[in-house]
Amino acid sequence: GNSVTQMEGPVTLSEEAFLTINCTYTATGYPSLFWYVQYPGEGLQLLLKATKADDKGSNKGFEATYRKETTSFHLEKGSVQVSDSAVYFCALSDLGYSSASKIIFGSGTRLSIRP
Amino acid sequence: EAQVTQNPRYLITVTGKKLTVTCSQNMNHEYMSWYRQDPGLGLRQIYYSMNVEVTDKGDVPEGYKVSRKEKRNFPLILESPSPNQTSLYFCASSPWTPLGTEAFFGQGTRLTVV
């Protein structure tokens, strides 16, 4: 079945550092890919998404490109801020394709940014 | 405002005392799902539902029940809670569509079973 493998954390960086959080997936068909963010004490919220190969999702300075050839959707940001400290989840959805479709999440990566 | 509402936000209960965590969405979404979040284990799916009266097991269904009698509501039932069900629980909903629409999450329910 479908699966998502995400870089283990925690990840600790200094402010203004470059961020990469790796995410790879296995899937049949043409799933959509997502990054969700969870701030302390809150639920998950969508950060960005891509619905087909070579699409680039972007939001709040974060970017990720849907790479079908490497089955990856790595999250990047050029200069992180303390306010980016959160848990980040990579996710895959094939909803609507079959009765077995669902949304699958990676294990989450905790990111801490030092001032 | 589009939202998923879970209640209660916090709950402390004793082993064996039946409880229900409610989840309601106002977006007319077909797909709803329950997850538990535990340190080091990420989000694990408990049950999901593709529409009214259609539910299926996720990865960790043991000890839980769900029902989907109305489209907007998807309660999670713990018939006989045990301490290993102490966790943070999230409900989510999404349209049933291959168009890559995002899932919307509730604020979470922190459950402690003593």
Side-chain angles (χ1 to χ4, degrees), chain B residues 29-49:
Chain B
H29 287 167
E30 294 83 8
Y31 181 89
M32 296 186 75
S33 182
W34 276 102
Y35 301 88
R36 60 179 288 174
Q37 184 178 17
D38 302 290
L41 297 176
L43 278 178
R44 294 182 292 169
Q45 190 175 49
I46 303 170
Y47 270 93
Y48 63 100
S49 169

Side-chain angles (χ1 to χ4, degrees), chain A residues 12-101:
Chain A
T12 303
L13 296 172
S14 298
E15 207 165 20
E16 299 184 3
F18 183 86
L19 168 71
T20 301
I21 301 178
N22 291 337
C23 172
T24 57
Y25 68 92
T26 57
T28 54
Y30 306 95
S32 296
L33 300 175
F34 304 82
W35 278 100
Y36 287 85
V37 58
Q38 183 184 29
Y39 298 105
E42 298 185 12
L44 280 73
Q45 57 186 275
L46 180 70
L47 179 59
L48 54 84
K49 70 177 183 182
T51 58
K52 60 183 188 296
D54 300 326
D55 266 4
K56 178 187 283 189
S58 61
N59 185 25
K60 299 181 181 180
F62 290 89
E63 293 183 338
T65 302
Y66 189 162
R67 302 277 189 208
K68 197 165 173 64
E69 64 276 13
T70 54
T71 62
S72 65
F73 193 55
H74 303 322
L75 182 68
E76 296 181 336
K77 186 174 185 182
S79 177
V80 292
Q81 306 300 313
V82 171
S83 57
D84 294 327
S85 298
V87 181
Y88 292 82
F89 291 90
C90 185
L92 173 159
S93 169
D94 63 350
L95 288 187
Y97 283 105
S98 78
S99 61
S101 3

Side-chain angles (χ1 to χ4, degrees), chain B residues 58-79:
Chain B
D59 300 316
V60 288
E62 295 76 20
Y64 304 94
K65 284 176 55 177
V66 293
S67 69
R68 189 91 182 269
K69 293 185 171 58
E70 305 166 283
K71 199 171 187 180
R72 64 184 292 122
N73 296 323
F74 191 46
L76 180 69
I77 303 157
L78 285 72
E79 293 269 1

